[in-house]
Amino acid sequence: EEEEEVAEDAAQSSQETAEQETGAQENQQVIVAGNGQPHNDPNWNADSSQEISENGSQNGPSTVDWVLGHVDQYLVPGQQTWVKGSVPQALKQDANGNMSMVLWNNDKTQYIVLEGYSGAGNEEVTLTGTLRKDGNVYVLTVE
């Protein structure tokens, strides 16, 4: 009888351990920030981290897609926006009909017009500035 009890206890303990490991695996989650970097902290809040990163924190810059998808939070006068994308080699005719330097998203389907950009074209860049709406386009005044 004693051996049977010990065997039952060992089996129950083994089952509890397996359930705990399975539960731990189910509770693991990977959260991806607006900058595409994974965060494994389940208490991490993507929205608050994105708000921090737009101000230039170590969490990284926002993407063009993220900024345009959450544009209302970036249109605060004087608010710094930290955004990454690619600039073309030549000016592009924007939605307002002006020839402008733009900041493209990864697949070149959306852009932000750049004002005050003096860098080279045809490269990936990370820029800081303030965002505003001008007619049919969003303009980043680069600082």
Side-chain angles (χ1 to χ4, degrees):
E1 264 182 57
E2 201 171 303
E3 287 178 16
E4 200 173 297
E5 270 184 47
V6 169
E8 283 179 21
D9 286 347
Q12 184 175 2
S13 175
S14 174
Q15 182 179 359
E16 286 174 4
T17 301
E19 286 173 1
Q20 287 173 351
E21 287 175 2
T22 301
Q25 288 173 352
E26 288 173 2
N27 288 333
Q28 288 180 350
Q29 53 182 317
V30 175
I31 303 169
V32 179
N35 64 6
Q37 298 301 312
H39 290 269
N40 294 318
D41 180 358
N43 298 317
W44 180 78
N45 180 324
D47 291 334
S48 67
S49 176
Q50 192 61 39
E51 290 168 10
I52 293 168
S53 71
E54 77 194 28
N55 293 323
S57 80
Q58 61 196 10
N59 290 325
S62 303
T63 63
V64 171
D65 290 326
W66 177 271
V67 170
L68 294 176
H70 300 86
V71 74
D72 289 340
Q73 78 183 46
Y74 293 92
L75 290 176
V76 178
Q79 177 176 314
Q80 292 293 304
T81 300
W82 190 24
V83 62
K84 69 177 177 178
S86 61
V87 291
Q89 183 130 11
L91 300 178
K92 176 199 180 341
Q93 185 172 0
D94 67 29
N96 289 340
N98 301 317
M99 295 304 289
S100 304
M101 181 56 77
V102 299
L103 185 65
W104 285 108
N105 65 347
N106 285 340
D107 58 4
K108 295 188 178 27
T109 57
Q110 297 191 87
Y111 63 87
I112 297 172
V113 171
L114 299 176
E115 182 176 90
Y117 177 74
S118 60
N122 199 29
E123 62 184 14
E124 295 287 320
V125 296
T126 300
L127 303 170
T128 302
T130 55
L131 191 70
R132 64 181 165 81
K133 185 166 186 180
D134 181 15
N136 298 318
V137 297
Y138 292 99
V139 179
L140 182 71
T141 302
V142 179
E143 296 176 4

